[in-house]
Amino acid sequence: MDKLKLACPCHFGLESVLKFEITKIGGEDINVSDGRVTFSGDFSTLARANLCLASAERVLIQLGEFKAVTFEELFQGIKSLPFEEFIGKDDVFPVKGYSHNSALHSVPDCQSIIKKAIVERLKIRYNVSYFQETGNMFRIQFSIRNDNVIVYIDSSGDGLHKRGYRRNSNAAPIKETLAAGIIDLAHVRSDSIVCDPFCGSGTFVIEAAYKALNIAPGLKRHFAAEKWDIIDPEIWENERTRALDSIRKDTNFFAYGFDIEPEAVALTQENCRRAGILKRVSIKQADIKNYDNFSNSITVCNPPYGERMLDLKEAEQLYSVMGQRFKANNDSPCFIISPHEDFERFFGKTADKRRKLYNGMIKCQLYMYYR
């Protein structure tokens, strides 16, 4: 099979982080757009991307792209795509997607037309009249934006944020992929000391350890494409071996996590154990009022705020305490994600740098302090 065109969606604001990750795994023809990075590669690249990309949400195979303003154009455009190169006559192929600012605005109707067009093409290719769909799963995704249709096959299955280490979480977890992107922006290295004074379920400290030790985030889980007959199982075996061989064990990395809630401390410890990095962390119960930056450390946190766990006034008081306790400089920078538009006023210091990010559907800023 010729090279695949692959696409990875990501959190808005993390495109540059994901582009660098894709460069490191050998992706070619890389192109960046809002919330998405496309690139080319073979099945080994696909497997490596699923295993190793920390800030990607999924790894999708892009089958085609075309304009459509009528259902007939949609039907014919879909029917022209080579689905038989991936989907066998017994395989399952559900369809889902979205439409935005387009003539074809009814998503259920588009799903029905796309499904019908795929069936009609596969009927001709396999010379059958009915598909039982009892085999492997090939999830079809489509996007219709400004009348432009793009069709994908999802190779990941569950979203890549599901690393396998966080079976339980606290009331307001940060998504693993977003945390990984912030860890990258914080320039965590193999000898870094990382501190999270609101560790919650431990996502930041775990993602920091994965980054520092070069642990592929997908090593503890499996992917939809591992069951596909078109990919040699040896490819997955080789890529897992490659990822395991790339883990750094001779580093000085260490992380400290603190939380005022004993349940959060216990949860973080359990998740760190599942992640296999418990020896690299110290997790303790502590109040932010007593927080002190470690020398030559990186503070990264997602403090509670009004839309999550505290009312707005409590959150603002918390920001004020943080401003008094956090001592940022070039050797000990601080990275804080918050949706509060006046965070800097309550924190008492203007950030040296800011980056707009989205935590779920909530627009946030990553406030970066270097001095």
Side-chain angles (χ1 to χ4, degrees), residues 166 168-176 178-179 199-204 267 271 302 305 308-309 359-360:
R166 196 171 76 176
N168 296 299
S169 61
N170 63 343
I174 189 169
K175 204 171 182 181
E176 292 89 336
L178 176 57
C199 63
S201 57
T203 309
F204 272 131
L267 181 57
N271 288 340
N302 177 33
Y305 47 79
R308 302 192 313 156
M309 298 170 67
N359 188 3

Side-chain angles (χ1 to χ4, degrees), residues 27-46:
E28 300 175 349
D29 309 315
I30 300 173
N31 184 55
V32 178
S33 57
D34 287 345
R36 187 173 302 267
V37 181
T38 61
F39 58 105
S40 62
D42 55 16
F43 282 135
S44 292
T45 311
L46 179 147

Side-chain angles (χ1 to χ4, degrees), residues 115-302:
K115 181 74 173 187
K116 182 178 179 180
I118 298 171
V119 167
E120 289 303 310
R121 180 177 178 104
L122 294 181
K123 276 183 179 179
I124 296 171
R125 293 302 186 273
Y126 292 124
N127 193 28
V128 297
S129 59
Y130 178 75
F131 294 92
Q132 293 186 349
E133 297 194 49
T134 57
N136 294 323
M137 175 68 70
F138 289 80
R139 290 184 174 89
I140 309 300
Q141 291 192 13
F142 68 88
S143 69
I144 307 177
R145 185 180 291 273
N146 299 320
D147 300 321
N148 189 62
V149 182
I150 308 179
V151 182
Y152 308 97
I153 297 178
D154 177 15
S155 74
S156 299
D158 288 338
L160 295 184
H161 69 283
K162 294 188 176 181
R163 318 288 208 209
Y165 64 73
R166 196 171 76 176
R167 297 186 183 178
N168 296 299
S169 61
N170 63 343
I174 189 169
K175 204 171 182 181
E176 292 89 336
T177 45
L178 176 57
I182 293 172
I183 289 298
D184 193 272
L185 292 170
H187 300 295
V188 171
R189 299 290 183 261
S190 61
D191 60 349
S192 295
I193 298 173
V194 172
C195 303
D196 182 357
F198 305 99
C199 63
S201 57
T203 309
F204 272 131
V205 295
I206 295 172
E207 293 298 326
Y210 275 14
K211 169 76 173 177
L213 305 178
N214 201 38
I215 297 174
L219 274 174
K220 290 184 176 292
R221 56 160 290 177
H222 292 280
F223 309 93
E226 287 186 76
K227 296 182 179 180
W228 295 355
D229 296 334
I230 56 174
I231 303 181
D232 188 338
E234 190 173 327
I235 288 176
W236 290 99
E237 183 179 341
N238 290 342
E239 290 302 327
R240 286 186 181 276
T241 299
R242 174 183 174 141
L244 285 167
D245 290 344
S246 298
I247 296 174
R248 304 186 191 111
K249 298 179 181 178
D250 57 343
T251 71
N252 295 320
F253 171 83
F254 203 82
Y256 295 87
F258 306 98
D259 204 288
I260 196 170
E261 299 293 341
E263 295 84 0
V265 171
L267 181 57
T268 296
Q269 289 173 332
E270 174 60 16
N271 288 340
C272 287
R273 185 190 66 78
R274 291 185 185 279
I277 55 97
L278 192 56
K279 292 181 180 179
R280 296 281 186 165
V281 300
S282 171
I283 312 299
K284 296 181 179 179
Q285 184 178 1
D287 193 312
I288 190 63
K289 295 176 182 177
N290 301 317
Y291 182 68
D292 226 346
N293 292 50
F294 288 89
S295 297
N296 298 306
S297 67
I298 302 171
T299 296
V300 187
C301 64
N302 177 33

